[in-house]
Amino acid sequence: MSERPLELAWLRIFEAVGRLGGLTRAAQELGLSQPAVSYTVRMLEEQLGTPLLMRGHRGSTLTPAGETLHRAAAGAVAELDGAARAIRRMSRRPVVRLFTDYGFASFWMMPRVAAFRLVRPDTEVHVIASAAAEPSGDDAEDVAVLFGTRSDFPANAVQLLEEKVVPVCGPRFAARHGLAEQPMRIGAVPLLHLESTPRPRWFGWGDWFAATGFARGPSASDLSLNTYGLVVQAAIADQGVALGWSGLIDGALADGTLVAIGPPLLRADHGYWLRPGPDPSPAARDLIDWIEREVKADAGPTRFGKPAK
C-alpha cells in the first residue's frame, strides 16, 4: 500500500457521506451527481487499501476504518470552515450598529455621519431607527442611544443630552401670530403633538402649559404626528408650534429655519443616554468616544457625561 499523502479533494465529500449516511443524500447536499460521489469514495478506498463504507439498499454505513477517517475529516472541515469565516471577516469592513429613535437618528446622527467617516473611513455605521424604547431580538446593537431617565439604564450608560424643550415654529408663523412679542398667544394657535404611549417618556404640551402657567385655549386645529421628524417638518411648514428638544433642533434654530417662542422647560434626570453593547468592538468603542466628544463640543463648558445611577 502506498505511503504517499492522500489527496484532499475528497474531504468535504466524505464528511457529507459519513454525516448523512448515504451517497445520494451527500450528492444532493453538495450539488453533485451520485456517481461522482461514489467514484470519489471508491478512489479513496483504493488509496487506503480498505473499505470505508458498507453499502446497502437503505443507505451506507461507515466501516471501522471509515469511522476513523470520518472523525478526522469532520474535524478538518469544521476547522477549515471556521478559518474561512475568520478570513472573510478580516477582509470585510468593520460594521457598527447604532440603535436609536427617529428623532436622534434624523436630527443628530445623520448630519454627523460624514464627520465620523473621516475618523474611521474603514467603518460602516448601520443606524437602526425605531419608535420602540428598546431593541427587539432582531435589532442587535453595538451602541444604543435611547431616551429615558436614569433608572432606565445600567451603570455604564452615559447621559448625552438633558431633556430641555422650548416651543418652536417657523419665523413667518411667529410673525403672523405675533408670538415673538406675546408668547402667551401660543395657547391660541395650532399645536403640533408627537404621538406617544399612555405614559409618555418625554415632555408633552400638557407638561409645558402646567409648568409655565400659560393658558391653553380651545382649538380643533392641532395636529398629531407619529415621528418627531414629521413634527419638525410641520413646524417648518408653518403648520403650528412644536416642542423643540435641545440637541435635536439646534441646527434649525441656528440657521433661522425655526425660532424659539416662550420659556424653556428642563428635566435634568431625563434625556438621551448612550448605552454600550456587550463587549464593544474597537470600531464600536471609537463610535462611542466620537459621539461623546461631539456632544461635549456642542455643550461647551456645561455639564456632560453623567453616569447612570
Side-chain angles (χ1 to χ4, degrees), residues 32-44:
L32 301 172
S33 67
Q34 194 272 354
V37 172
S38 179
Y39 174 80
T40 298
V41 174
R42 284 200 309 273
M43 292 299 100
L44 186 57

Side-chain angles (χ1 to χ4, degrees), residues 266-295:
L266 173 67
R267 187 162 53 178
D269 61 339
H270 283 61
Y272 279 103
W273 298 75
L274 186 150
R275 183 185 69 194
D279 300 321
S281 66
R285 177 53 59 188
D286 284 347
L287 178 62
I288 291 169
D289 293 343
W290 175 82
I291 290 175
E292 292 182 355
R293 288 196 305 270
E294 287 288 304
V295 172

Side-chain angles (χ1 to χ4, degrees), residues 10 36 42 57 68 80 82 86 124 137 146 161 173 178 187 193 210 214-216 248-249 281 292 297 300:
W10 56 270
R42 284 200 309 273
H57 294 296
T68 299
L80 289 168
E124 292 183 15
L146 304 170
L161 302 170
F173 187 92
H193 300 266
F214 282 33
R216 171 61 169 143
L248 302 187
I249 48 85
S281 66
E292 292 182 355

Side-chain angles (χ1 to χ4, degrees), residues 111-275:
R112 293 171 168 83
V113 166
F116 179 70
R117 287 177 179 154
L118 296 177
V119 177
R120 283 292 301 248
D122 62 327
T123 299
E124 292 183 15
V125 179
H126 292 182
V127 179
I128 307 168
S130 172
E134 285 287 337
S136 67
D138 297 332
D139 292 327
E141 88 282 359
D142 301 301
V143 185
V145 176
L146 304 170
F147 194 94
T149 188
R150 292 184 179 182
S151 60
D152 297 330
F153 300 97
N156 66 339
V158 173
Q159 188 174 17
L160 297 177
L161 302 170
E162 294 179 345
E163 185 179 22
K164 180 181 178 182
V165 298
V166 63
V168 296
C169 63
R172 291 175 301 180
F173 187 92
R176 186 162 66 245
H177 294 278
L179 297 178
E181 300 80 12
Q182 294 182 292
M184 70 286 298
R185 290 183 178 179
I186 289 175
V189 301
L191 302 180
L192 305 172
H193 300 266
L194 176 60
E195 293 179 356
S196 182
T197 61
R199 297 183 63 183
R201 292 171 288 133
W202 46 76
F203 281 135
W205 274 112
D207 301 304
W208 187 84
F209 279 107
T212 60
F214 282 33
R216 171 61 169 143
S219 175
S221 55
D222 283 6
L223 184 61
S224 294
L225 301 134
N226 66 349
T227 69
Y228 192 57
L230 293 176
V231 171
V232 173
Q233 289 177 28
I236 292 172
D238 295 336
Q239 298 300 304
V241 180
L243 288 176
W245 267 261
S246 178
L248 302 187
I249 48 85
D250 297 3
L253 291 176
D255 65 18
T257 307
L258 293 174
V259 294
I261 303 296
L265 184 59
L266 173 67
R267 187 162 53 178
D269 61 339
H270 283 61
Y272 279 103
W273 298 75
L274 186 150
R275 183 185 69 194

